Amino acid sequence: MANQGLRAEQYLSPETLAQLAPFELRAKMVADGVMNGMHQSPLQGMAVEFAAHRQYSAGDSIRHLDWKVFGRSDKLYVKEYRQETNLDVMILVDGSASMSFGTLGVKQGWGGTDATRRRGAWTKFDHATASAAALAFLCLSQRDRVGVAVGADGLRGAVRKSATRDQWRSIVRCLSSEPVEARFSPAACINQLLAQTSHRTLFVILSDFLGDPEGLRTALARLRHRGHDAMLLAMLDRRELTLDLDVEAPFIGLEGEDALDVDTRTIRKAYLDELQRHLQGIDRQARAFGYDLQVFDTHESVGPVLAALLSRREGMVAGGRR
Amino acid sequence: MTFISPWLAVAGAAAMALPILIHLFLRRRQKPIEWAAMELLRRAVQQSQRARRVERWMLLVLRCLLLLLVGLAIARPATMSTIALNQPVVLGIVLDNGVASRAAASPATPGQSAFDAARGACVESIRALPGGSLVHVLTTSGTIEHTSEAVDPDRAVAILGTLAPTNEPSRVREAVDRADDALRRTTMPGRIVLASPFSRGAIDTEAQVLPATKATLEIRDVGSDDQGTAAIVSMVQRTLGPQSTGSVTVDVTVTRPSHEQARRSIPVTVTDVMTDRSTKADAVFVEGSQRAVATVTLVVDPSVTEHGWLASIPADRQPADDLRSATISTLSADPVLVLDRERLDVDEGSSAQWIERALEPIAGMGLAHRRMDPSEVRTGALKGSTAIIICRPELLDATSWAECTTACESGALLVVVPPTEDTFVEWQDPCAALLGPGVTIRREVMEHDPPRRLQPQQPASPITQLIASELTDLVAPVEVSRSVVIDGPSTTLSPILTMDDGSPLMVLSTRGRGVVVMLASAPVPSWSTLATKPIFVPLVQETIRQGEVLLDAGGSVMIGLGRLPEGTTELRPVRGSTTGEASLTVDPSGMIVGDEVQPGIMQAIQAQGASAESLRSPSLVALNVDPTACDPQRNDAARLTAWLNQTITTPAVEASTDTTARSSTRASVWLLLAAAVVILAETLLGRMFSVPEPSST
């Protein structure tokens, strides 16, 4: 079998894992996981961690009255506790043709697949799968349930959420695919995933988001409607980010677009403006639904950017507790 | 527009295609590039590609233009015509008819002079004019303007057909200036065509800097070869008459057309070709003067009547500027004899006093003189006097007149001045008889009120030939209050100066081997202002000098582009294989004395270090031979020609410093400046539309 030789190191270089280790992966939203874990549960009740005092109101159970406070101040306060649960994470990787773009030569220890080595370039898909594997590994190490899906115009492969020992291998096998000749449809993929999701889940979408922003907006709206959290990780090659080419040549689209004669020296500024505008539009959409967007430069290591993202989310969650 | 190096202009034009070919070549070699963010790319292209395409074309055009300009600049355009092809113009034809234009046009066209070639070029330019054009005809020598107003092309061609080369230097600057002035007066676009044998030295190095003209100046250089012209020697031969006492003054007069940036002095060596003795002297130019004279006094054997003196100037001291004339003249070393009685009671000074004052050395040019009482003129008293000035003719008796006549017929110059005092003595008849048959001098003195002036354009005379160019200015202030009337046939009397009514003020006649000059008005203030005006000193001195030259003491042979007598034939031995074309035209009355003379010439030349070894590659030597002064029986023309070719060769005058080159250099500089502007424009354009360095999002 082609995937028999897969090893975790292919996706998670020791360097990457070392960079991620100090951080805990916490969902911003309170997950209603079924297992005890490190994530906050939206259900207040018996738990180990005190949350806050609240004035007693009619109907509250008197079992949670803080009698010590009543004795000191002659006022009725109810003690509230925060219950921690496991996090459900579903990672969706864009497997469309545009993700096969890459201009960076493969480096030792960066992971990747046989296809990566065969192509001789580190593609956006490589970067997305590496990032997805890192996230999945973190979740599994926290005993969170994590699932992975690779999609384009629909889901091309998926692993259901689980926190079992074999889950990691399943995830790796699922990620070790290649982009297909199709365009990415976030809405279609999310629809398919929502059909299999019953608990509140953190959806992590890894894509270049170069497609129609309207489709993405529809997908995010559905996620919001179902009360899920989401993180958008935009994978873009450095050449896409800078257009550091001095050529006048025909450009051919990877997803079947018509060829276009371009002099990069003449349009660079306009292109960079367009890219900036496009990313800002996606970021605006994500923020409108309360989600995050993080741009990944595929020429940079996965770890630092992922660590920065997780650090930011941890800070947001900690702020939310206070 | 013409180019000095046309093929470079073609190369420049061809180089224009280079950026285009590079562009096409690179475009063909581009491989397609796969790209993911095509939608962003498409939108960016829609935004900026169109504007950028225009900029790129502009850059391409600028680069092509740059190459073209550099090519044109290297090709050195000679003239830039700004006149539309079919637009009628006023054409100023400036035809060089100076002395150098007598030279043969080129070895390839024997028989055709440079003047003919220049005239042909002018006719060609006229024929090429668009319909409705007009033409001004000007020449560089003699009378400059031949058309008071622009004429039609056919008329201009007819005028050109009547023109002939002169024996004087070219005044190109003046002619071009006048042509430009004429064109400025018209409303039509103007163009000047200057046709001249530049390379022959007709225009000296300095004078070649042509004036800036408003009209487009097109130069037709008909001097097709690159031979420089240089005159280095001048020679005169004289037969000393019985008046000679064996002492001879040799004057070498060096004239130049311009005194700007010229040498202050020219070393001159005078060699007696009979004895091979050389004497050196310096001809020093006075500030602002165009003429200098080196005077050498030689003692010769009076028993030898045939003498030849050769004046030479070292080739390395002889820039083209000084070549205009290096003439030699001889004078008797005897003092000028002034016949007058010593008087102290004349308030205004006597004629003799004024004349003696004019003979005093001025600026190194003086003539020795002595006074003799007219009563002392007896038989043999005038022996040894070559120049005699009779200031008191009324004091001469018949014997004295006879003695004067004898002296004149023997080869003396007599200058007669009318008496200033009323006298009843009949001096007019013997004086008229001296002047020649048919000459009469009226007894009464004509009173002129208001005083007469002199004609601005004086007749050409050998006496005034060296001051001819300044004569108009010199005669302008002269007023004549009293004069005697001299009548006579034109075959006997030739006018030197004439008054505004046409009557002569100064006449010349020959008698025997001598010359008689007579003034119609005495040089005293009560008769005329002649003596008090600037003309007087040069007039008196030139009368003596040129008058003595005119004495029938022989002719002259001039080597070099000096002042050629009318009818002179030019011998032009040239370099290398073209020697055969040279021929010497000689006249039965001949002056070159065969074998005796030629060794003397050779030694004189060699004495100047101008041997064939010391000189650079052979160049042109022009030998102008007076046909009336050469004897074909006694002169071996072929030998002389061959010898001149071998020996009297001078380095070519910097003929390359022609105006064409100068103007083309100017044009090239302008083109290079334009190229620099193009580079600047391209840089600015590139900077204006340059894309900032990409930054990570």
Side-chain angles (χ1 to χ4, degrees), chain A residues 107-129:
Chain A
K107 287 183 180 177
Q108 185 67 34
W110 275 52
T113 62
D114 291 336
T116 305
R117 281 184 288 278
R118 193 168 55 248
R119 203 178 296 125
W122 182 258
T123 64
K124 293 190 282 186
F125 185 74
D126 292 329
H127 210 73
T129 51

Side-chain angles (χ1 to χ4, degrees), chain B residues 238-241 410-412 512-515 547-555:
Chain B
R238 284 196 63 179
T239 304
L240 297 180
S410 301
R513 301 177 69 174
V515 172
E548 286 202 17
V549 172
L550 291 173
L551 299 177
D552 187 13

Side-chain angles (χ1 to χ4, degrees), chain A residues 26-48:
Chain A
R26 297 172 184 272
K28 192 175 71 176
M29 61 175 286
V30 178
D32 54 349
V34 293
M35 292 183 62
N36 288 334
M38 301 171 71
H39 304 282
Q40 294 176 7
S41 166
L43 304 176
Q44 305 281 328
M46 295 174 64
V48 291

Side-chain angles (χ1 to χ4, degrees), chain A residues 240 248 250 252 261 265 274, chain B residues 30 33 35-36 47 56 691:
Chain A
E240 287 178 323
E248 183 181 5
I252 298 173
D261 283 338
R265 287 161 295 206
E274 279 297 321
Chain B
Q30 291 295 345
I33 295 174
W35 194 256
Q47 271 185 33
R56 281 169 43 216
V691 180

Side-chain angles (χ1 to χ4, degrees), chain B residues 554-571:
Chain B
S556 64
V557 175
M558 285 180 289
I559 302 173
L561 291 179
R563 189 177 302 278
L564 302 185
E566 285 296 334
T568 298
T569 303
E570 183 175 69
L571 177 70

